[in-house]
Amino acid sequence: MLQWAWAYTLAAAMAMLPASTGLGFSCKSPSSTTCQAFVGYFPQNTTTAHNITALFSLYSASSLFAANSLPASTPSSHSFPSGRPVRVPIICRCTNGIGISDGTPNYTVVKDDTLSLISETLFSGLLTFPDIAQVNNISDPNRILVGQKLWIPLPCSCDEVEERRVAHYAHVVVAGSTTDEIVARFGVKKSVLLSLNNITDSSLKAGAVLDVPLPACYATMDDRSMDHNLIVPNGSYALTANDCVECLCNSTDLRLQCKPFQVTNICPSMSCEVSGLANDLPLGNTLSSSANSTSTACPSATCAYQGYTNATIFTKLDTSTCSGGPPSFGSIARVVARWWGLLFLTTLFLLS
């Protein structure tokens, strides 16, 4: 009941946000739009993946490892040094033109905390103390209570940039940085960075939080998919479908590449049916020209991931390499629905 009341309070707070505020990033997407976004966290001291996962209320450390291109087998005790940015994934929600993290992180006040300490030190300047006060309806920012639960509204956005989806990344400018250095580091256009943040070369200031639109891979997902907003920054990967699927982005054409990631015994087989072939094509595999010549005019086709629900993984045969352009799916493909939810319940029953 307390969790439901907390969620309701957060939803109500977001709905009441004014259309004009210094909170978050600009987000012109329709209200209640959600998406995957990222923030750059600078640890004040050497810390562990476990501590960062807890601080940012992440579901598991695996999403943190994926965002930072670390192996999924990395232990939660893995250390991150102070002063170096750690890319942290968050869920962003847009409301009244403002993009902020969707109800998380949740931080519990401890002795000697102040809103300034929480915003500037614990969360490395990604937001200001008035931001925290505003969304938590704190009338006197100098009075917070030990044990008080705070929503930390991190800045983010879901907007397309130059008519393409991107992974928005909140970057805290360090002293001595230049716009040329920032665009070179993140692989973005200088004109886009300046326009998006309404800055010039000379107005860039240390401590400013910039909205950096990272190039990223994505695919058209099934509307029923629980990860229909999946987007993966170039040079990293993501685990999805209950950690049964690994999706990578490491290409010049920004094409999402997904394959099975077997980490539990409840992950189903994932494949595409191809007419004219005796065996299904496994997820992530591509037909050779000779094998595909009898079933389609396309010289190559890949079994592509298209999302999941609690009980189903969706795949389709991607023939977009025939014509170039954005991912599309051939008519010879079908959705492969694997009901591993039943298997999961059976496993629980046997273990009980």
Side-chain angles (χ1 to χ4, degrees):
M1 180 65 71
L2 289 177
Q3 289 181 337
W4 180 88
W6 173 247
Y8 179 82
T9 300
L10 293 180
M14 290 198 73
M16 295 175 63
L17 290 177
S20 178
T21 176
L23 183 69
F25 288 154
S26 171
C27 192
K28 299 177 182 177
S29 299
S31 286
S32 296
T33 295
T34 60
C35 67
Q36 179 78 75
F38 300 84
V39 298
Y41 169 62
F42 285 84
Q44 293 297 308
N45 302 294
T46 298
T47 189
T48 65
H50 173 79
N51 290 339
I52 296 176
T53 298
L55 180 65
F56 284 87
S57 305
L58 302 181
Y59 177 73
S60 70
S62 61
S63 62
L64 183 68
F65 298 145
N68 291 277
S69 301
L70 294 171
S73 58
T74 302
S76 60
S77 59
H78 176 82
S79 293
F80 290 93
S82 63
R84 295 185 184 179
V86 180
R87 188 176 293 180
V88 180
I90 62 172
I91 298 300
C92 182
R93 180 178 292 272
C94 299
T95 303
N96 293 336
I98 300 168
I100 53 178
S101 52
D102 189 19
T104 59
N106 304 139
Y107 178 78
T108 302
V109 176
V110 299
K111 184 180 178 181
D112 297 327
D113 270 347
T114 65
L115 291 188
S116 292
L117 175 70
I118 295 169
S119 61
E120 296 171 13
T121 302
L122 296 183
F123 287 92
S124 62
L126 284 164
L127 72 169
T128 66
F129 76 84
D131 295 339
I132 302 176
Q134 179 179 348
V135 301
N136 291 280
N137 296 317
I138 298 174
S139 57
D140 184 355
N142 295 313
R143 295 188 64 183
I144 54 176
L145 304 175
V146 172
Q148 186 174 353
K149 193 174 183 180
L150 301 176
W151 165 26
I152 308 300
L154 300 172
C156 58
S157 181
C158 296
D159 289 349
E160 292 187 351
V161 174
E162 295 189 322
E163 299 183 349
R164 182 177 177 87
R165 287 182 61 192
V166 297
H168 288 269
Y169 174 75
H171 171 67
V172 180
V173 178
V174 298
S177 293
T178 65
T179 54
D180 288 332
E181 178 185 72
I182 293 171
V183 298
R185 176 181 176 184
F186 292 110
V188 301
K189 293 181 181 179
K190 184 175 181 178
S191 59
V192 170
L193 182 74
L194 299 180
S195 174
L196 194 61
N197 293 279
N198 194 27
I199 59 171
T200 63
D201 286 334
S202 60
S203 66
L204 183 70
K205 295 181 179 179
V209 184
L210 299 183
D211 181 358
V212 181
L214 301 177
C217 298
Y218 61 92
T220 302
M221 295 289 185
D222 189 283
D223 290 340
R224 295 164 290 176
S225 176
M226 297 179 69
D227 61 351
H228 64 277
N229 285 324
L230 178 67
I231 188 165
V232 183
N234 202 13
S236 65
Y237 72 95
L239 297 181
T240 188
N242 295 325
D243 287 353
C244 288
V245 176
E246 178 185 40
C247 293
L248 304 93
C249 181
N250 191 18
S251 60
T252 55
D253 62 354
L254 297 178
R255 185 176 298 274
L256 195 67
Q257 304 168 50
C258 298
K259 60 183 181 181
F261 184 78
Q262 303 289 350
V263 294
T264 70
N265 61 0
I266 64 170
C267 294
S269 60
M270 292 159 273
S271 59
C272 296
E273 183 183 74
V274 181
S275 61
L277 294 183
N279 299 317
D280 287 352
L281 183 68
L283 177 67
N285 284 22
T286 300
L287 286 172
S288 64
S289 299
S290 57
N292 198 26
S293 60
T294 59
S295 59
T296 176
C298 179
S300 65
T302 301
C303 184
Y305 175 71
Q306 212 195 12
Y308 82 104
T309 66
N310 281 328
T312 309
I313 282 183
F314 304 105
T315 62
K316 280 194 175 182
L317 200 65
D318 180 4
T319 59
S320 60
T321 53
C322 298
S323 58
S328 59
F329 300 95
S331 59
I332 62 171
R334 75 171 184 179
V335 174
V336 180
R338 305 292 188 182
W339 294 91
W340 92 88
L342 179 60
L343 176 60
F344 177 69
L345 293 176
T346 302
T347 301
L348 289 180
F349 174 77
L350 293 174
L351 292 176
S352 62

